[in-house]
Amino acid sequence: MHKSTGILRRALVFAPALGLLLLLAGCAAQDYPQTTLQPRGDFAHLVDSLFRTTLLWATVVFILVEGVLVYAIFRFRGKPSDAEPSQVHGNTTVEILWTVVPAVILAFIAVPTVQTIFRTSSTPPGEVVEIEVIGHQWWWEYRYPGLKIVTANELHVPVNKTVSLKMTSGDVVHSFWIPQLAAKRDVFPKKYNPLWFKAEVTGDFPGQCAEFCGLQHGRMGLRVLVDSQPVFDAWVKQQQTGSPLVDAGKVPASMSDSAYRATGDSVMLKGKLAFMTGGCIACHAMAGTATAGLTILQGPNLSHVGSRTTIVAGMLKNTPTNLRHWLTDPQAVKEGSLMKLPRPLTEDEITNLVAYLRAHQ
Amino acid sequence: MATSVLEHSAVHHAEAKSGLWSWITTVDHKRIGILYGASAFLFFLLGGIEAFVIRLQLMTADNTLVSPEFYNQLFTMHGTTMIFLGVMPLSAMFFNYFIPLQIGARDVVFPRLNAFSYWVFLLGGLFINAGFFFNAWPNAGWFGYANLTSAQYSPGLNTDFWVIGLQILGIASIAAAVNFFVTIINMRAPGMTLLRMPMFVWMSFITQILLLLAFPVITVALVFLMMDRHFGTHFFIPAGGGDPILWQHLFWIFGHPEVYILILPAFGIVSEILPVFSRKPLFGYTAMVFSGVFIAFLGFGVWSHHMFATGMGPFADAFFSLSTMLIAVPTGVKIFNWIGTIWGGSLQFKTPMYFALGFIAMFIIGGLSGVMHSSPPADLQQTDTYFVVAHFHYVLFGGSIFALTGGAYYWLPKMTGRMLNETAGKIHFWLMLIGFNLTFAPMHILGLNGMPRRVYTYPAGLGFEFWNGLETVGAAIIVVSQLVFIVNLIVSLRRPRNAPADPWHGATLEWSIPSPPQEFNFPEVPEVKSSIPLWDLRRELGSLPEPQRVSGAGIHLPNPSYYPLVAAIGVFVTLGGILFAQPHFPWYVITLTGVAVLFYGVYRWAFEPAG
Ligand SMILES: [Cu+2]
Ligand SMILES: [Cu+2]
């Protein structure tokens, strides 16, 4: 009996240690691109250090209380034939003690909590990149009012610059979540919620809608692409071409029909025709077409869709094959998606559209 | 003459003893308890099947076992079912059966209202599930966040089934809560002061108060939503000047107390089991009572901790964060008192004790993760992720379900007169404990590593595959554990009665009468001198004689009645009619018919001789 309690005692020490190890193993962050445990932005760091404080206290309390519980379970096992144990009804001293001690521990969590609440509640002063985020069923729209850009699903930001997000929704409640850079904040129609962050490294950070928003909530992904300043500047320039917010989408002569005709680029002309006659124009803004200047349409601005790494809210890599799949039957790719084509496209139309869309870098 | 009256009543009661009709017309709190238990257990199994299909779908990345639509229905109905049709009515089974027995009463105060509550609950549960057959199972989450639930974004009947079904269930809950509240206030045996009530009765009492205060709020919210959907109002519709956040406030003002409605009965059950199997009274009885009261009180001041991501501003965040952390103090007191109860005891390892101890061990984990997201900035990462799913399953499964299962092993011998098999019980426990932890512990890791909730699938490459696969294995083990329980239950029910009145050396009054109890419970109303009356008696007498079944002649009992069922059907039709509220359809004819049936039922019920 003595021996077995010894083993049990050792098991008691090892079990939580093992659990922690497992947790840490489970947290090797490179395996989890969407992890909250490897912050890469200042906001996420504030949250993370608070999280680590709470985790530390939770672990201490966990080991102590579970330890005492398991100890008591083994220490006080009895047989029906044993004498009745002493009939203790309570003990005021220990009862006061175990009311006060947890309260004190909570204070160690409460103080940094309140500090962090206030530190995260307003954007730090200084120069910021302002971006408007609009949640839609089931994709994300971004507008850069200062830079005059409208884009979708992939948010480009410069490294080491504070980004200030003003977030709203075009339909139902969503939640914009970028775990490694900041955290999440719900977005509501007719209301603006803020979130800010400063990314500390360049890279590609996945995120996702975190508030249930209907059928395709599970496929409402996004990415944040943190660029070095020169890369970001180049991207901005590119996106401004034909942007609905710049001269109502007016495009340079090199992107006009006559320029296409002059170079004998019939695919672009045919693609554009399919874009008009296939109904795309009803939902998508597109440089060089009648909708170039519109920001009120139901679907994403496609003027630079070719420059994205993914399409359909992060669901598909932006490859010709995937684009073809998507245009062939959007409802088969993403059931219920609000991209409802007025008529199926022909093989030729799809081929031309794929080339046309991919050329819109 | 006196004898003939007695004979008559004996015959009358004998008649009512068996057959379907006797169950339909019963007003006996014990039978109603069994009805609650049987119905709730079936709903619980349904919710479990839903959960298992969810786990199968999430077993691998990009899985297509179920469609997104069906997945959304599954998680909506899993939550709705487990909360409103599983855990709450399983608690109601114990309220019904054991509150009167533990306070030494012959029935609840309003036996027919009790039957009415049950029938309304059953019809509400069937109604909310009926959508399945019309391809309209609710699909907007058990929390039904506006404005996704508006007619624009949720056309179709799915949300109507949910809104109306929950209103029906709310009526059942409020009626039952009134009944138990008044019963506990008025029907206690002589000598049973409030501070001598068994802890299960105390926690149940607090639960009834929570029900009475919380359910009207959700009812109001549901009525608003129904008006928005059918009658052109804009309570939650931003385009019309309404506010979706109003829904969230109303929902969680109900929703957080609801958490305590689900867990306080479990606290009570565990507080009954631990002393009995430690052979030692509950440690710190008074502290246990007041921590329960304090938890319930604070429970109404923390609701916005579900809304830290909505952007309430730093002052509201700080307030709700601190109030939430404060709740950890009385909750901690309870845990320490439970450990204090087993400390120095002579622990008897019977199945109920396994589950009670498992409850403490798991509930601690759920409590600690709860403290972790009471910190709003940290919660901005955790909310709406699998970390939160892990948290509340440690509280509601590791907590409520473990305790309710322990309660079943503890009290079923009293209810059925048959012992359950101990070996099977222990196998059940270990499978459930292992399966539970395999299923839910990895969810902490997944949530912190970026897996959101309520997603019908997840892409490969985010690192979610391994843990999700493991969780599904865990869920399969839970399924097996439940099968062990069902077999144990069936085998025990098919055997002749073998349970003594007091198989565990209990401390409370229900163990002083035969198993199962006779219809009138107590031949003589017992008198009580402490919170452990049976232990007092045993100490006095040395040992307790096995109580004999006696003739109930001369004991006044209420007559069976089917008017509660009629009235319940009236409620069902009244609210159900609103399902048909389409322009140009005379739905109000259905609703008015329901009102007429309700009035007829209540009228006849009111003038029916009581007994
Ligand atoms: Cu969403
Ligand atoms: Cu809560």
Side-chain angles (χ1 to χ4, degrees):
Chain A
M1 146 121 201
H2 256 277
K3 200 168 162 214
S4 76
T5 38
I7 292 170
L8 283 168
R9 242 174 250 161
R10 237 164 292 153
L12 282 190
V13 179
F14 278 118
L18 196 75
L20 272 181
L21 265 179
L22 259 178
L23 188 72
L24 290 177
C27 302
Q30 62 277 13
D31 301 335
Y32 302 98
Q34 202 160 287
T35 186
T36 68
L37 299 173
Q38 192 184 53
R40 288 289 179 253
D42 52 355
F43 191 110
H45 271 296
L46 286 172
V47 171
D48 185 61
S49 68
L50 188 58
F51 165 73
R52 279 170 207 272
T53 308
T54 62
L55 180 65
L56 177 77
W57 283 111
T59 312
V60 170
V61 175
F62 171 79
I63 292 174
L64 284 179
V65 182
E66 297 278 4
V68 171
L69 173 67
V70 177
Y71 172 79
I73 290 173
F74 286 104
R75 170 70 182 72
F76 298 110
R77 36 185 42 206
K79 288 192 291 299
S81 54
D82 288 349
E84 187 176 72
S86 97
Q87 302 290 294
V88 184
H89 285 265
N91 180 323
T92 316
T93 318
V94 296
E95 286 178 58
I96 290 177
L97 205 67
W98 66 43
T99 312
V100 173
V101 171
V104 172
I105 293 181
L106 284 168
F108 283 101
I109 298 175
V111 171
T113 291
V114 175
Q115 284 171 338
T116 313
I117 289 174
F118 282 90
R119 282 175 73 184
T120 51
S121 70
S122 51
T123 318
E127 199 199 327
V128 298
V129 181
E130 273 191 29
I131 307 175
E132 197 184 319
V133 174
I134 308 170
H136 295 279
Q137 281 184 326
W138 293 278
W139 60 283
W140 295 96
E141 178 175 354
Y142 311 119
R143 298 183 186 181
Y144 299 58
L147 301 171
K148 302 199 181 308
I149 294 171
V150 179
T151 183
N153 296 326
E154 294 185 350
L155 183 71
H156 282 255
V157 301
V159 71
N160 286 326
K161 270 242 174 89
T162 300
V163 177
S164 167
L165 305 178
K166 263 179 76 188
M167 312 196 295
T168 185
S169 165
D171 38 49
V172 301
V173 185
H174 305 273
S175 188
F176 186 78
W177 186 28
I178 42 175
Q180 277 193 276
L181 299 168
K184 71 174 77 66
R185 189 79 85 187
D186 297 348
V187 302
F188 295 87
K190 304 219 171 241
K191 179 180 179 285
Y192 281 95
N193 258 344
L195 188 67
W196 57 269
F197 64 94
K198 182 159 77 180
E200 59 194 29
V201 290
T202 59
D204 175 355
F205 300 96
Q208 196 162 352
C209 175
E211 184 61 84
F212 181 66
C213 55
L215 189 64
Q216 285 291 352
H217 163 63
R219 294 287 199 194
M220 187 166 162
L222 64 109
R223 317 190 82 78
V224 182
L225 295 156
V226 180
D227 301 329
S228 65
Q229 192 66 46
V231 172
F232 181 72
D233 291 340
W235 178 81
V236 167
K237 252 192 122 119
Q238 180 196 31
Q239 300 291 312
Q240 284 170 338
T241 326
S243 163
L245 304 181
V246 181
D247 293 338
K250 201 162 164 283
V251 291
S254 65
M255 280 174 74
S256 67
D257 290 4
S258 45
Y260 292 145
R261 230 170 266 130
T263 54
D265 197 346
S266 67
V267 171
M268 291 301 276
L269 284 172
K270 286 188 199 154
K272 186 170 172 183
L273 185 67
F275 197 85
M276 316 283 248
T277 58
C280 322
I281 197 94
C283 300
H284 292 290
M286 185 59 157
T289 72
T291 61
L294 297 183
T295 54
I296 50 161
L297 298 177
Q298 198 182 12
N301 176 8
L302 296 181
S303 300
H304 298 278
V305 66
S307 70
R308 293 180 198 145
T309 61
T310 58
I311 52 167
V312 195
M315 187 179 169
L316 303 174
K317 286 220 166 61
N318 192 0
T319 63
T321 330
N322 282 338
L323 202 49
R324 174 168 282 279
H325 279 313
W326 176 241
L327 297 182
T328 310
D329 191 355
Q331 296 299 316
V333 174
K334 188 171 177 180
E335 186 187 326
S337 157
L338 297 185
M339 173 149 153
K340 304 224 157 77
L341 296 182
R343 63 167 172 85
L345 304 167
T346 66
E347 277 296 305
D348 281 349
E349 277 178 323
I350 294 174
T351 310
N352 294 329
L353 269 171
V354 169
Y356 172 76
L357 292 173
R358 289 187 61 78
H360 279 81
Q361 290 287 327
Chain B
M1 186 195 118
T3 31
S4 81
V5 171
L6 291 182
E7 268 165 23
H8 173 78
S9 78
V11 168
H12 183 87
H13 288 135
E15 258 176 10
K17 282 229 159 58
S18 60
L20 184 63
W21 188 244
S22 76
W23 285 93
I24 290 177
T25 58
T26 187
V27 294
D28 176 353
H29 71 99
K30 297 181 291 301
R31 286 181 153 219
I32 293 172
I34 290 170
L35 287 173
Y36 260 110
S39 323
F41 190 62
L42 292 176
F43 281 125
F44 172 73
L45 293 180
L46 178 63
I49 293 169
E50 287 153 10
F52 193 58
V53 178
I54 288 174
R55 281 299 349 140
L56 288 176
Q57 163 69 10
L58 294 179
M59 184 164 64
T60 56
D62 296 306
N63 198 3
T64 54
L65 177 73
V66 298
S67 68
E69 169 63 23
F70 190 52
Y71 185 88
N72 294 345
Q73 296 181 1
L74 282 170
F75 83 71
T76 300
M77 285 312 295
H78 169 66
T80 305
T81 301
M82 286 310 197
I83 291 167
F84 296 102
L85 310 177
V87 173
M88 281 177 72
L90 281 173
S91 301
M93 158 173 83
F94 292 127
F95 297 158
N96 265 288
Y97 210 102
F98 290 104
I99 288 176
L101 293 188
Q102 287 203 320
I103 63 175
R106 292 218 165 110
D107 207 318
V108 294
V109 163
F110 310 118
R112 287 176 295 180
L113 184 66
N114 200 18
F116 171 79
S117 305
Y118 167 72
W119 293 115
V120 174
F121 148 71
L122 181 69
L123 292 171
L126 294 175
F127 183 88
I128 212 165
N129 275 292
F132 181 81
F133 301 102
F134 302 92
N135 202 13
W137 234 6
N139 61 356
W142 88 278
F143 48 94
Y145 268 15
N147 56 337
L148 179 64
T149 46
S150 63
Q152 182 186 357
Y153 295 107
S154 291
L157 293 177
N158 312 58
T159 299
D160 293 321
F161 274 109
W162 183 79
V163 172
I164 297 169
L166 282 195
Q167 289 183 72
I168 298 175
L169 290 170
I171 290 171
S173 293
I174 291 175
V178 170
N179 209 344
F180 291 120
F181 181 82
V182 181
T183 300
I184 294 173
I185 292 281
N186 282 330
M187 306 277 281
R188 299 192 310 279
M192 187 179 282
T193 59
L194 283 178
L195 284 178
R196 286 180 188 164
M197 295 199 305
M199 196 51 62
F200 175 69
V201 177
W202 251 114
M203 293 302 120
S204 306
F205 184 56
I206 299 172
T207 306
Q208 310 312 319
I209 299 172
L210 288 177
L211 281 162
L212 286 173
L213 296 176
F215 265 75
V217 184
I218 186 73
T219 306
V220 166
L222 289 166
V223 170
F224 283 1
L225 179 57
M226 196 170 76
M227 301 283 283
D228 275 6
R229 285 179 64 80
H230 291 292
F231 306 112
T233 57
H234 300 113
F235 289 102
F236 308 122
I237 300 176
D243 189 352
I245 298 183
L246 173 64
W247 168 269
Q248 295 196 15
H249 281 294
L250 292 173
F251 185 81
W252 290 116
I253 290 174
F254 148 79
H256 192 84
E258 172 68 18
V259 172
Y260 294 114
I261 291 169
L262 298 170
I263 197 71
L264 283 174
F267 286 179
I269 292 170
V270 168
S271 303
E272 294 295 313
I273 293 175
L274 289 173
V276 169
F277 294 92
S278 305
R279 303 175 61 196
K280 198 173 150 279
L282 188 66
F283 194 89
Y285 176 96
T286 324
M288 279 300 214
V289 170
F290 285 103
S291 57
V293 173
F294 199 47
I295 288 173
F297 180 75
L298 283 179
F300 278 98
V302 300
W303 75 90
S304 285
H305 63 206
H306 298 268
M307 300 163 58
F308 287 143
T310 61
M312 296 181 295
F315 291 98
D317 279 359
F319 173 83
F320 284 105
S321 167
L322 296 181
S323 63
T324 304
M325 287 181 192
L326 201 57
I327 281 202
V329 175
T331 313
V333 165
K334 286 204 171 291
I335 291 170
F336 297 133
N337 276 312
W338 287 321
I339 297 179
T341 304
I342 63 173
W343 194 271
S346 167
L347 309 189
Q348 309 296 312
F349 284 91
K350 294 287 201 283
T351 309
M353 186 63 162
Y354 274 69
F355 278 98
L357 294 171
F359 160 90
I360 304 178
M362 296 302 105
F363 184 75
I364 291 170
I365 299 175
L368 288 171
S369 57
V371 171
M372 292 176 73
H373 35 250
S374 70
S375 177
D379 188 53
L380 284 188
Q381 291 284 30
Q382 293 161 13
T383 186
D384 281 320
T385 72
Y386 265 89
F387 190 82
V388 170
V389 179
H391 158 70
F392 67 75
H393 279 94
Y394 269 86
V395 175
L396 292 181
F397 191 151
S400 301
I401 299 287
F402 268 70
L404 288 166
T405 313
Y409 279 98
Y410 181 58
W411 274 320
L412 272 174
K414 176 59 59 188
M415 299 171 67
T416 65
R418 292 158 177 91
M419 302 303 290
L420 288 153
N421 183 291
E422 272 291 309
T423 314
K426 284 167 190 170
I427 294 173
H428 175 192
F429 170 77
W430 285 113
L431 286 176
M432 193 153 127
L433 187 76
I434 293 167
F436 168 76
N437 280 291
L438 273 183
T439 308
F440 296 104
M443 290 186 185
H444 294 107
I445 298 172
L446 279 174
L448 293 174
N449 280 312
M451 181 161 170
R453 305 168 67 173
R454 301 169 184 143
V455 290
Y456 69 88
T457 190
Y458 50 90
L462 291 179
F464 301 157
E465 292 90 334
F466 172 75
W467 299 112
N468 272 295
L470 190 67
E471 286 167 10
T472 304
V473 173
I477 298 176
I478 297 177
V479 171
V480 176
S481 77
Q482 297 306 311
L483 292 178
V484 172
F485 177 57
I486 293 169
V487 171
N488 194 355
L489 195 62
I490 292 173
V491 169
S492 113
L493 285 176
R494 294 174 67 112
R495 274 200 314 247
R497 284 183 188 163
N498 64 350
D502 182 16
W504 317 117
H505 290 259
T508 39
L509 291 177
E510 74 270 32
W511 306 111
S512 68
I513 51 175
S515 307
Q518 291 176 276
E519 198 180 351
F520 47 82
N521 298 349
F522 299 92
E524 285 160 48
V525 177
E527 213 168 311
V528 172
K529 296 195 202 70
S530 79
S531 64
I532 41 174
L534 240 57
W535 285 0
D536 293 344
L537 203 61
R538 183 173 294 120
R539 212 152 290 148
E540 223 171 87
L541 304 178
S543 71
L544 289 180
E546 184 70 19
Q548 296 307 310
R549 292 186 176 269
V550 294
S551 147
I555 297 176
H556 166 92
L557 285 173
N559 279 332
S561 168
Y562 54 84
Y563 291 114
L565 176 58
V566 173
I569 292 173
V571 169
F572 177 80
V573 176
T574 302
L575 284 165
I578 301 172
L579 192 67
F580 302 94
Q582 307 293 339
H584 315 301
F585 186 87
W587 58 274
Y588 40 83
V589 175
I590 305 175
T591 288
L592 290 176
T593 311
V595 173
V597 174
L598 173 62
F599 270 93
Y600 173 74
V602 172
Y603 180 84
R604 295 299 302 264
W605 162 353
F607 289 98
E608 191 180 27

